[in-house]
Amino acid sequence: MHEKAPLIRIAKRDDLPKYKVWLIRLAALLLAIAIGGLLFLIVRTNPITAYGEMLKGSLGKKTGIRQIVKTAIPLLGTALALAPCFKMRYWNIGAEGQITMGAMGAGYFALFWYDKLPSPVLLVVMGLAGIVCGGLWAAIPAVFKARWGTNETLFTLMMNYIAIGIVAWLQGGPWEGKPGSQIIPTFNKAAVLPKALGVNCGWIIVLLLTVFMFVYMRYTKHGYEVAVLGGSENTARYAGMNVARVTVRTAVLSGAISGLVGFMVASGTHMTLYSSVAGGVGFTAITVCWLAQLNPFAMVAIAAMLAVLSRGASTLQTSLKVPASISDMITGIILLCMLGCEFFINYRLIFRGHHERAGEPQRAGGAEGPDKKETEEGR
Amino acid sequence: MENSHAIELKGITKRFGKVVANDAVDLYLDRGVIMSLLGENGSGKTTLMNMLSGIYFPDEGQIFVDGKPVTIASPKDAFANGIGMIHQHFKLVDVFTAAENVALGLSDGSYDLKRVEDGIRGISDKYGFGIDPKKKIYSMSVSEKQTVEIIKVLYRGANVLILDEPTAVLTPQEIKRLFRILRAMRDDGKAIILITHKLNEVMEISDVVAVMRKGRHIRTVRTAETTPQALTEMMVGKAVSLNITRFDPVDPKPRLTVAGLTCRDSEGVKKLDNVGFIAYGGEILGIAGIAGSGQKELLETVAGLRRAEKGSIIYSPEGKPPEELVGKTPMQIRDAGVALAFVPEDRLGMGLVGAMGMTDNMMLRSWNKGRGVFVDRKTPEKLANQVLDFLEVVTPGIDYPVRKLSGGNVQKVLVGREIASSPSVLMSAYAVRGLDINTSYIIYNLMSGQKARGVAVIFVGEDLDVLLELCDRILVLCGGKVSGIVDARTATKEQIGLLMTKVGGKEEA
Ligand SMILES: Nc1ncnc2c1ncn2[C@@H]1O[C@H](COP(=O)(O)OP(=O)(O)OP(=O)(O)O)[C@@H](O)[C@H]1O
Ligand SMILES: [Mg+2]
């Protein structure tokens, strides 16, 4: 009976000291770099040169840094948009569609009103249109959820494809530029976001949004309602909160910010509108949001890190002729390690023969009730 | 049969961060014995038992089963050693039948429902459970669910049964039944550990009592050789008086006039049927009844959390014109001074957010106060500190997630918050559910204190002795109807027991 303990047990950790958490994260990063190094060896490239190139290509040049900021803007903006939804345990994975709809709303004014309004006014109107369109798009699944309890995960996901489809139709039909080109014309200069320090001024907007979101979640009544509702719907009701209203309001806020991001990518980055204008940002932002554990300031760092990675990967391709797929794999490995290490922060593995005085708490079968109960009840 | 103890713990220590939940505990238990485990809230009872059932792993110490040292690293190991625990929070799948739940996770890999059903019938007959293996969990009462948990454990061949506060959610009749079953199991040679805060139950059912205090095992005594008073003092570590002060109501004025109140649940079943009564300021009105007779619905309707189909609730606050509460929102009602402290069966589900600390949980009442978009955290913080000091909540700090507190401490947070709002009507339901005896008396006296302030206190309770001792009048509910209102100073338990079953006449399981 004594040695019957399983070879490896997974045990939940209780509070791990902060510094250890960061050591684990650092170790994960180093591991990812090591695995990536092996990959480089396989394609007969010196890993040190390769990583050096990546750094040089991304952070070494002014243009590189600008490129990074440009990539990071929508990632950060969208991650901020998702934060309150996730806090509320409302699984909005429809940011991609909300960005697309926001871009479409902005695009309408960029294409048809550029000669009727002075540029600053036009830009403000475009931003507002993005906000309204993104918000409305997010409102649809939220209202269904609040009213009839539909599953928001599936619903928001499906809405992405509809949004992309609508823009694809506009692209080939009513808004098409040269007949047969399947392309919407480039926006007039008046409809393009001006630059600040060499990059479109979207970065100022998202940094302001970061502070806003931090304050909103931490110090406002709305933020508190979101946190309570995410913790337990029954308690929210008991505290006199209007669950349906909070759900819809939060989803709309999230969609509105995504819509604003849509305006920024259409006007600042692409200067036109096309069906994949969101470019997967709506999904990558989910990773950013979780890696940052819903903390807005951490999102700035994570979004920047991802942008550095993707920029570095693309310079590799040109300077060392490493296949594009290898750079993508490196990015993937780093992300996987970062996500995977969160597992080791929350759980530990205990090997057989390491029992008796295994100093750490063990919580195999789902410990005391409240914990579990709550997740069940948290909708 | 060997001469060694069924279970023996030696030097068991368990820490959670800085909290020492168990401190070098030595304890043993023999076959054919029912042991009560007694201790204040947060004294480490649940933690200790969780180490026997494989949910936690001790930091130090050794567990022996039948004299042999064992490693219990998972619930599976616990079953392999014949140890089974019935947790306070049931772990059953609602949409499955009793048999399916028992069959879930059986380690022999087979899934033979027929055999499981027969097995359940066998166990049922042996100990007198009377449970239908084909009944779905969601259609079961709390007591039936508990029975399924017990069967689950017995089916896996447990010789040692641990029950964590099984009586906290049962009616007196159900408790009697449970005790009959426990005795049958004891006579069958099983060793049973029972955690409970009710001293009369300890005296009634157990052969020995183990007392814990602040994580340490203080002493194990024979029940026959001790008294409730002695046990309490062992538990608390000093002499305490267990008295409820009851004085006559001073100048009672109608505060809440309820008439013809009727409501239905979401399935259209009538839960309240033409309920009428008056609650006076400066008086404690007790509400008694079999579980599910409409107590919860009544309080929820008054609090505005449930829609009244018919009837009126007139609220007459001191020095203000009377107003109708039916049709008002929960928030308006609360702001008018009608407070509700409802302690649900799982303690956390309603009224608290487990992931938040005390401060943020205090804020659930006040978050919407004041103008502007920002919340005020200063006031709730002060309140949290007050409740902490006053009710002696055991927690590392007011920002520590309440989910991690012991059951009783979670509840102090909830009840403390409602009392602290200085309401003019205070409704509390099951306020002492799971609270240790000392804290229970603190709560009773808090209620009396509110009464002295002129508050109309409505107290839904389960323990008739307490109701008779604490309240001025007792309203008895039966099947959603008022079956009688009696004077608590002259009424008897039998009289109330009769009223609890009279109207409607439907037998409760
Ligand atoms: N998972 C956990 N994480 C951190 N602390 C914990 C955890 N579980 C229990 N504790 C702490 O350990 C102590 C003992 O808790 P335990 O639940 O064993 O008490 P208890 O005797 O069962 O109390 P009650 O009668 O209130 O149920 C408490 O101070 C509690 O806060
Ligand atoms: Mg406990």
Side-chain angles (χ1 to χ4, degrees):
Chain A
M1 194 116 294
H2 201 85
E3 285 305 322
K4 242 194 85 209
L7 183 59
I8 302 176
R9 296 202 315 267
I10 297 172
K12 180 130 188 186
R13 285 180 198 273
D14 278 29
D15 316 290
L16 202 65
K18 269 261 154 57
Y19 77 94
K20 275 197 182 162
V21 170
W22 284 104
L23 275 182
I24 291 179
R25 290 194 181 136
L26 187 69
L29 190 63
L30 291 178
L31 179 72
I33 290 174
I35 299 176
L38 285 180
L39 263 181
F40 283 127
L41 285 179
I42 291 173
V43 294
R44 293 169 201 284
T45 309
N46 182 343
I48 299 179
T49 338
Y51 282 123
E53 276 299 318
M54 275 179 89
L55 279 182
K56 244 193 345 218
S58 54
L59 296 170
K61 280 179 282 180
K62 250 205 174 120
T63 50
I65 294 179
R66 281 185 196 146
Q67 212 55 43
I68 288 167
V69 175
K70 216 160 137 187
T71 317
I73 291 170
L75 270 184
L76 174 58
T78 314
L80 290 169
L82 292 175
C85 279
F86 290 166
K87 181 93 193 172
M88 194 172 71
R89 288 171 175 274
Y90 175 91
W91 308 122
N92 175 14
I93 48 177
E96 188 84 356
Q98 290 146 20
I99 296 173
T100 309
M101 287 322 263
M104 185 198 78
Y108 168 75
F109 287 97
L111 292 171
F112 304 107
W113 287 71
Y114 68 90
D115 48 358
K116 301 188 181 80
L117 296 170
S119 177
V121 179
L122 176 66
L123 285 170
V124 170
V125 170
M126 282 167 66
L128 288 176
I131 288 173
V132 170
C133 289
L136 284 178
W137 202 246
I140 301 167
V143 167
F144 270 81
K145 160 110 188 174
R147 267 282 161 93
W148 297 288
T150 51
N151 178 319
E152 77 276 12
T153 318
L154 272 178
F155 207 140
T156 50
L157 181 67
M158 292 306 153
M159 294 292 282
N160 288 336
Y161 302 116
I162 301 177
I164 292 168
I166 292 176
V167 175
W169 168 70
L170 288 174
Q171 203 178 322
W175 291 7
E176 194 179 40
K178 252 196 273 139
S181 66
Q182 297 278 323
I183 288 175
I184 294 173
T186 307
F187 293 168
N188 182 285
K189 257 211 218 75
V192 172
L193 263 183
K195 292 193 169 168
L197 299 179
V199 194
N200 74 68
C201 63
W203 63 270
I204 301 177
I205 303 178
V206 285
L207 285 184
L208 288 176
L209 268 179
T210 307
V211 177
F212 164 79
M213 200 37 90
F214 180 79
V215 172
Y216 183 79
M217 302 237 287
R218 191 75 55 111
Y219 298 111
T220 67
K221 291 176 180 171
H222 284 193
Y224 182 72
E225 284 179 301
V226 166
V228 172
L229 185 50
S232 153
E233 194 177 325
N234 271 336
T235 302
R237 207 164 270 134
Y238 165 92
M241 296 173 185
N242 185 333
V243 172
R245 194 173 66 204
V246 177
T247 306
V248 173
R249 184 186 69 206
T250 310
V252 167
L253 173 71
S254 174
I257 297 177
S258 292
L260 185 65
V261 171
F263 152 69
M264 289 189 280
V265 288
S267 162
T269 315
H270 303 300
M271 298 164 206
T272 183
L273 176 68
Y274 59 108
S275 61
S276 48
V277 69
V281 162
F283 297 111
T284 315
I286 298 176
T287 318
V288 177
C289 197
W290 279 118
L291 276 179
Q293 306 196 331
L294 309 190
N295 179 329
F297 291 117
M299 284 175 201
V300 179
I302 305 277
M305 188 191 83
L306 280 189
V308 168
L309 267 180
S310 75
R311 173 68 195 162
S314 65
T315 54
L316 263 192
Q317 226 172 296
T318 45
S319 63
L320 292 181
K321 305 274 178 296
V322 173
S325 48
I326 294 287
S327 340
D328 286 345
M329 278 167 78
I330 304 265
T331 319
I333 288 167
I334 293 187
L335 275 187
L336 189 69
C337 287
M338 296 316 284
L339 284 172
C341 85
E342 298 304 315
F343 172 84
F344 289 96
I345 289 169
N346 288 313
Y347 299 90
R348 60 178 262 132
L349 300 179
I350 300 171
F351 293 91
R352 184 195 286 166
H354 216 273
H355 46 258
E356 238 76 89
R357 274 157 233 280
E360 285 283 335
Q362 138 84 2
R363 258 193 155 190
E368 259 233 287
D371 224 340
K372 202 175 133 232
K373 237 328 175 299
E374 228 190 9
T375 29
E376 278 162 13
E377 245 150 33
R379 70 218 358 259
Chain B
M1 195 165 271
E2 297 165 53
N3 248 347
S4 45
H5 305 301
I7 289 279
E8 181 161 13
L9 306 175
K10 276 204 180 137
I12 297 286
T13 296
K14 178 78 198 164
R15 301 182 196 91
F16 295 106
K18 287 196 193 76
V19 181
V20 185
N22 287 133
D23 188 1
V25 172
D26 294 321
L27 189 73
Y28 69 82
L29 175 64
D30 290 318
R31 291 182 184 285
V33 172
I34 299 180
M35 170 191 267
S36 290
L37 192 56
L38 200 59
E40 285 190 282
N41 295 126
S43 57
K45 304 177 295 292
T46 301
T47 306
L48 190 65
M49 293 302 113
N50 276 342
M51 284 187 280
L52 278 177
S53 63
I55 284 178
Y56 295 137
F57 196 76
D59 294 344
E60 282 161 38
Q62 178 68 54
I63 299 171
F64 297 84
V65 173
D66 291 328
K68 287 190 291 288
V70 295
T71 305
I72 301 177
S74 70
K76 232 182 181 162
D77 292 353
F79 279 125
N81 284 301
I83 302 171
M85 179 156 169
I86 289 95
H87 295 269
Q88 229 173 319
H89 308 275
F90 304 143
K91 296 169 160 64
L92 297 170
V93 183
D94 258 359
V95 293
F96 281 7
T97 64
E100 283 165 341
N101 267 290
V102 172
L104 263 190
L106 277 181
S107 43
D108 60 2
S110 70
Y111 186 78
D112 184 354
L113 262 190
K114 195 93 209 77
R115 214 181 60 208
V116 174
E117 279 169 18
D118 291 341
I120 292 179
R121 282 197 198 95
I123 295 171
S124 259
D125 293 344
K126 188 164 168 194
Y127 299 114
F129 286 125
I131 204 110
D132 174 11
K134 290 208 161 86
K135 193 165 175 186
K136 300 259 195 218
I137 301 297
Y138 61 75
S139 60
M140 288 187 175
S141 70
V142 177
S143 147
E144 283 175 301
K145 286 181 196 168
Q146 190 178 66
T147 311
V148 175
E149 288 278 12
I150 297 178
I151 292 177
K152 204 162 101 185
V153 164
L154 289 175
Y155 190 87
R156 284 163 171 71
N159 296 314
V160 179
L161 270 98
I162 304 166
L163 298 104
D164 194 356
E165 295 187 42
T167 59
V169 292
L170 299 184
T171 62
Q173 289 87 339
E174 289 166 341
I175 292 172
K176 274 209 184 100
R177 226 189 50 139
L178 175 69
F179 284 0
R180 246 196 340 264
I181 292 167
L182 291 185
R183 286 196 189 97
M185 292 199 289
R186 170 186 61 192
D187 298 341
D188 199 34
K190 302 209 181 294
I192 296 169
I193 302 179
L194 177 81
I195 301 181
T196 176
H197 289 295
K198 301 183 195 164
L199 288 176
N200 55 344
E201 292 175 358
V202 170
M203 301 309 288
E204 183 188 338
I205 185 84
S206 56
D207 303 301
V208 295
V209 190
V211 180
M212 306 225 7
R213 182 166 79 225
K214 298 202 162 71
R216 292 167 179 273
H217 173 218
I218 299 299
R219 201 133 64 90
T220 299
V221 292
R222 299 189 153 281
T223 313
E225 294 164 7
T226 189
T227 62
Q229 186 65 35
L231 286 174
T232 312
E233 279 168 23
M234 243 186 275
M235 234 165 74
V236 182
K238 57 176 189 240
V240 286
S241 79
L242 298 181
N243 286 314
I244 301 176
T245 39
R246 174 167 62 186
F247 44 87
D248 289 330
V250 187
D251 182 26
K253 282 201 208 73
R255 180 67 49 81
L256 212 53
T257 313
V258 176
L261 203 59
T262 302
C263 84
R264 290 174 196 277
D265 66 8
S266 52
E267 266 107 60
V269 179
K270 233 183 217 179
K271 284 291 175 179
L272 289 181
D273 191 355
N274 201 18
V275 168
F277 64 91
I278 299 176
Y280 295 89
E283 173 203 73
I284 301 183
L285 174 67
I287 295 188
I290 297 170
S293 301
Q295 297 96 318
K296 181 177 177 205
E297 287 76 11
L298 175 58
L299 299 201
E300 284 184 350
T301 313
V302 174
L305 294 165
R306 193 177 275 276
R307 212 179 59 82
E309 192 177 291
K310 270 199 295 250
S312 79
I313 305 165
I314 305 291
Y315 169 55
S316 330
E318 197 94 37
K320 276 187 225 144
E323 50 183 322
E324 171 65 65
L325 292 186
V326 172
K328 287 209 156 59
T329 66
M331 199 116 54
Q332 290 168 327
I333 293 175
R334 181 139 30 104
D335 289 346
V338 179
L340 171 63
F342 186 92
V343 179
E345 273 135 30
D346 62 11
R347 286 178 184 165
L348 272 172
M350 194 168 135
L352 291 175
V353 180
M356 292 180 170
M358 278 179 75
T359 306
D360 280 15
N361 271 301
M362 294 295 148
M363 212 154 81
L364 278 171
R365 279 199 65 97
S366 61
W367 63 279
N368 206 22
K369 294 273 166 355
R371 303 196 151 272
V373 294
F374 294 104
V375 284
D376 163 27
R377 245 193 202 85
K378 285 263 152 18
T379 324
E381 198 178 307
K382 240 189 280 160
L383 192 62
N385 277 316
Q386 273 171 21
V387 171
L388 183 86
D389 293 342
F390 193 47
L391 292 180
E392 295 171 3
V393 180
V394 181
T395 171
I398 52 172
D399 291 320
Y400 196 68
V402 297
R403 179 183 56 214
K404 290 189 179 170
L405 304 185
S406 83
N409 282 302
V410 169
Q411 208 166 321
K412 287 185 191 174
V413 175
L414 176 63
V415 175
R417 179 185 68 202
E418 295 308 318
I419 290 180
S421 70
S422 43
S424 88
V425 175
L426 175 63
M427 302 187 285
S428 86
Y430 315 114
V432 297
R433 193 174 252 175
L435 286 189
D436 64 49
I437 186 87
N438 200 23
T439 317
S440 298
Y441 276 79
I442 295 182
I443 299 278
Y444 300 146
N445 286 318
L446 277 177
M447 298 286 166
S448 291
Q450 294 294 304
K451 166 181 159 186
R453 276 190 51 237
V455 173
V457 180
I458 298 179
F459 185 88
V460 176
E462 291 159 310
D463 190 333
L464 291 186
D465 292 305
V466 170
L467 282 175
L468 283 169
E469 217 182 315
L470 172 70
C471 303
D472 297 297
R473 291 180 307 139
I474 299 174
L475 181 156
V476 188
L477 280 174
C478 179
K481 291 190 176 120
V482 177
S483 63
I485 298 180
V486 298
D487 184 343
R489 286 180 178 75
T490 55
T492 63
K493 251 166 102 171
E494 288 66 34
Q495 190 186 351
I496 295 176
L498 213 62
L499 284 170
M500 280 165 68
T501 51
K502 205 191 69 188
V503 183
K506 256 191 266 149
E507 282 265 308
E508 201 89 0

